[in-house]
């Protein structure tokens, strides 16, 4: 599966709507996690449930060693934090981001999507 940021986000960025482009990228990430996890929550709660190290809906590691459990836990907080600190404020404020911050956010969203691509399949 190849996950990529939406064409809508690309157009928003090209048109100079940087905060909205960031919001759309993280909304896409939220929707992708929701689909992969089959959970109904969104945002922070979704990420905490989807990547829970005790009963994950999405396994990013094999969860066999303490290191793998710690990595799963760390990503749980990274995904959840991204929803709270990056996506949510952009849903309420318009054009709060300069271009360089938007590029950082879009790169970060891309990193998280790539990590989802590399998740452990259920058969592993």
């Amino acid at each position: 599966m190849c996950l990529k940021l939406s064409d809508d986000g690309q157009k928003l960025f090209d048109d100079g709507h940087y905060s909205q482009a960031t919001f759309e990228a993280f909304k896409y990430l939220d929707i992708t996690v929701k689909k992969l996890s089959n959970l109904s929550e969104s945002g922070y709660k979704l990420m905490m449930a989807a990547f829970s190290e005790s009963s994950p809906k999405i396994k990013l590691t094999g969860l066999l060693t303490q290191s793998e459990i710690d990595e799963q836990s760390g990503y749980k907080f990274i995904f959840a934090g991204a929803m709270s600190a990056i996506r949510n404020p952009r849903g309420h404020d318009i054009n709060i981001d300069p271009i360089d911050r938007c590029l950082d956010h879009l790169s970060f969203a891309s990193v998280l999507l790539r990590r989802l691509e590399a998740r452990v399949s259920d058969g592993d």
Side-chain angles (χ1 to χ4, degrees), residues 98-117:
I99 189 171
D100 57 336
R101 185 173 302 146
C102 179
L103 288 170
D104 290 343
H105 289 157
L106 295 178
S107 294
F108 184 51
S110 179
V111 166
L112 296 179
L113 287 167
R114 287 179 190 270
R115 189 62 187 95
L116 280 175
E117 279 186 326

Side-chain angles (χ1 to χ4, degrees), residues 33-113:
V33 170
K34 188 180 287 195
K35 285 180 184 175
L36 292 173
S37 67
N38 292 315
L39 294 169
S40 60
E41 291 94 349
S42 68
Y44 181 88
K45 286 184 179 182
L46 170 64
M47 302 306 159
M48 295 301 282
F51 299 107
S52 165
E53 59 276 15
S54 60
S55 59
K57 301 297 182 185
I58 300 172
K59 287 175 63 175
L60 299 177
T61 71
L63 299 170
L64 299 175
T65 66
Q66 188 60 50
S67 179
E68 289 177 337
I69 293 166
D70 291 346
E71 183 180 351
Q72 178 82 18
S73 176
Y75 272 105
K76 172 182 71 176
F77 287 109
I78 291 170
F79 275 86
M83 293 297 118
S84 294
I86 299 173
R87 186 199 69 174
N88 287 351
R90 277 125 200 106
H92 303 289
D93 297 320
I94 297 173
N95 288 329
I96 60 173
D97 290 329
I99 189 171
D100 57 336
R101 185 173 302 146
C102 179
L103 288 170
D104 290 343
H105 289 157
L106 295 178
S107 294
F108 184 51
S110 179
V111 166
L112 296 179
L113 287 167

Side-chain angles (χ1 to χ4, degrees), residues 9-21:
Q10 177 71 50
K11 178 156 178 32
L12 287 164
F13 177 84
D14 290 344
D15 291 343
H17 302 288
Y18 305 126
S19 292
Q20 190 63 29

Side-chain angles (χ1 to χ4, degrees), residues 1-8 10 25 28 32 110 113 117:
M1 174 194 318
C2 180
L3 303 173
K4 73 175 196 77
L5 299 177
S6 72
D7 292 335
D8 292 339
Q10 177 71 50
Y28 177 77
T32 301
S110 179
L113 287 167
E117 279 186 326

